[in-house]
Amino acid sequence: MSSYQGVLHRYQGLLDLPAHTRTVTLMEGNTPLIPAQRLAEQLGGGFELFIKFEGLNPTGSFKDRGMTAAVSEAYGRDAKAVICASTGNTAASAAAYAARAGMRSVVLIPQGKVAAGKLAGALAYGAQVIQVEGSFDDALSMVVQITQKQPICLVNSLNPYRIEGQKSAAFEICDVLGSAPDWLCLPVGNAGNITAYWAGFKQYHELKSSGLPQVLGVQAEGAAPLVLGHPVDKPETVATAIRIGRPARGEQALQAAEESGGRIIAVSDDEILKMQRALAGLEGLWVEPASAAGLAGLTHELKAGRFEAKGKRIVAVCTGHGLKDPDIITKEMSRPLVVPPSLEALEEAILK
Ligand code: AN7
């Protein structure tokens, strides 16, 4: 039997959780750090590139790390229900951990803007799914208000325990590499993840002198409040996971970028989709569009001559699995060829 018991157990003592916390785990975390040499070569080479593939968490996204912490805290004080606003991944994760704890879950999603695999997940795990005629930001404002009135636990990343659990990803990277990388590239939506990585790297550095990365946070052009310097009322992007105009932890994201000597930039939907295809086609890693944003940002900066990669060790976080959003691929694809069941037809199709 494996001795791995999830991130709360593995990083016990490093995650600031109340004593009443009772662990609810799906053995999340411990995701692979995958070398991506072919992609690195295509980007000009001369540096080391690793993908932290967070799509391999139990519900298919990085959200499980923070969710195990938030739900464990709620469960430990006998909370009966959790609620969140979500572009999809938080919803699926909250629903799964709540189910495991025997708790009710309610998830608010922007109507028509959540990828099929995420909505299906939330429903499969038994959440009450409510579509809001509005954006993620509208939905977040609603759940914040209701949790101030009703005894229902907010499990968006405003919940501090989400950040605590999420720090585990930074610890894992340092443990595998032996130190922090030179750069960390990742997508930024509501900005919980970048906040947690930075907190995690700083904590590990204080404890173990593991070093600190520079952080490149990447938003989608149509949903780039942190680049524009003001909220975006009608965010739009193909990367629905990061279709967010008022990031809850925006200030902390900016601070992480600044303190680390990094930055937050925006890339186009086209750049995101190109990188999604490059990752799948060159490395065999199929990630959802938002998850390709970090690497799309790295590519963008390299092309603009603003990024000195030579000799550097770069980690890109791919936050969610491609299976979450199959439609984005099949929509663009021509229909696969149909042949009669004969060898001649097959030879004709693949050898010509
Ligand atoms: C695949 O699920 O906000 O900057 O409600 O699903 O921590 O918000 C998802 C965000 C990146 C951005 N990649 O992370 C939600 C939600 C994927 C995501 C992000 C999300 P944050």
Side-chain angles (χ1 to χ4, degrees):
M1 214 178 106
S2 150
S3 60
Y4 185 73
Q5 294 173 50
V7 299
L8 298 195
H9 178 262
R10 179 162 182 192
Y11 293 110
Q12 211 170 5
L14 297 182
L15 311 181
D16 189 8
L17 299 171
H20 64 247
T21 301
R22 241 186 317 160
T23 301
V24 180
T25 181
L26 283 162
M27 313 289 175
E28 62 294 314
N30 205 17
T31 56
L33 195 61
I34 304 173
Q37 204 182 334
R38 273 158 56 81
L39 181 60
E41 293 302 326
Q42 204 200 46
L43 297 179
F47 60 94
E48 279 184 280
L49 180 62
F50 296 89
I51 311 295
K52 181 70 171 160
F53 193 12
E54 289 287 276
L56 295 182
N57 276 296
T59 77
S61 87
F62 74 102
K63 304 285 183 183
D64 295 342
R65 295 175 183 277
M67 203 55 73
T68 183
V71 171
S72 295
E73 186 280 328
Y75 179 59
R77 63 177 154 81
D78 245 358
K80 301 293 181 228
V82 300
I83 192 168
C84 64
S86 180
T87 57
N89 279 324
T90 301
S93 186
Y97 284 83
R100 206 162 166 81
M103 293 162 75
R104 181 177 166 197
S105 63
V106 181
V107 306
L108 273 66
I109 59 173
Q111 184 185 22
K113 295 291 182 181
V114 166
K118 302 176 189 180
L119 179 55
L123 292 168
Y125 300 126
Q128 180 177 3
V129 178
I130 297 174
Q131 300 203 62
V132 177
E133 295 171 42
S135 66
F136 166 84
D137 307 286
D138 298 316
L140 183 61
S141 156
M142 290 163 73
V143 300
V144 166
Q145 288 176 59
I146 201 165
T147 52
Q148 285 164 356
K149 274 181 70 182
Q150 304 291 340
I152 176 165
C153 179
L154 177 75
V155 294
N156 279 104
S157 59
L158 285 165
N159 178 322
Y161 310 120
R162 282 277 312 276
I163 304 296
E164 288 303 308
Q166 187 63 41
K167 290 191 308 193
S168 61
F171 301 158
E172 285 178 14
I173 291 173
C174 294
D175 284 343
V176 169
L177 294 179
S179 65
D182 297 303
W183 276 92
L184 183 82
C185 311
L186 79 175
V188 176
N190 211 26
N193 203 22
I194 188 172
T195 298
Y197 267 102
W198 186 236
F201 281 120
K202 283 200 295 192
Q203 185 179 348
Y204 234 45
H205 183 53
E206 272 169 32
L207 269 171
K208 308 192 173 210
S209 301
S210 44
L212 291 170
Q214 290 176 273
V215 179
L216 181 70
V218 186
Q219 301 204 288
E221 247 171 36
L226 301 179
V227 179
L228 297 169
H230 58 76
V232 175
D233 283 335
K234 292 197 163 49
E236 254 336 315
T237 168
V238 67
T240 51
I242 52 174
R243 189 174 167 276
I244 294 173
R246 290 175 191 271
R249 291 188 182 270
E251 285 305 319
Q252 283 164 282
L254 292 167
Q255 200 181 333
E258 191 186 316
E259 276 180 28
S260 75
R263 54 195 175 270
I264 297 186
I265 64 163
V267 295
S268 68
D269 280 3
D270 191 47
E271 290 174 292
I272 288 173
L273 293 177
K274 271 204 184 106
M275 181 50 69
Q276 184 193 28
R277 285 191 292 269
L279 265 170
L282 290 170
E283 299 291 355
L285 295 172
W286 181 27
V287 306
E288 65 167 286
S291 300
L295 279 163
L298 173 66
T299 309
H300 185 96
E301 293 301 273
L302 282 168
K303 279 193 178 145
R306 281 192 295 264
F307 196 100
E308 191 36 78
K310 285 275 171 287
K312 296 276 160 60
R313 184 179 258 184
I314 302 171
V315 170
V317 183
C318 286
T319 44
H321 204 287
L323 287 165
K324 290 273 191 171
D325 194 357
D327 300 345
I328 215 84
I329 303 294
T330 48
K331 210 170 58 190
E332 307 244 312
M333 218 171 62
S334 51
R335 213 164 59 91
L337 192 67
V338 179
V339 300
S342 80
L343 177 62
E344 293 74 23
L346 178 61
E347 285 180 335
E348 167 74 9
I350 68 175
L351 299 178
K352 69 177 177 195

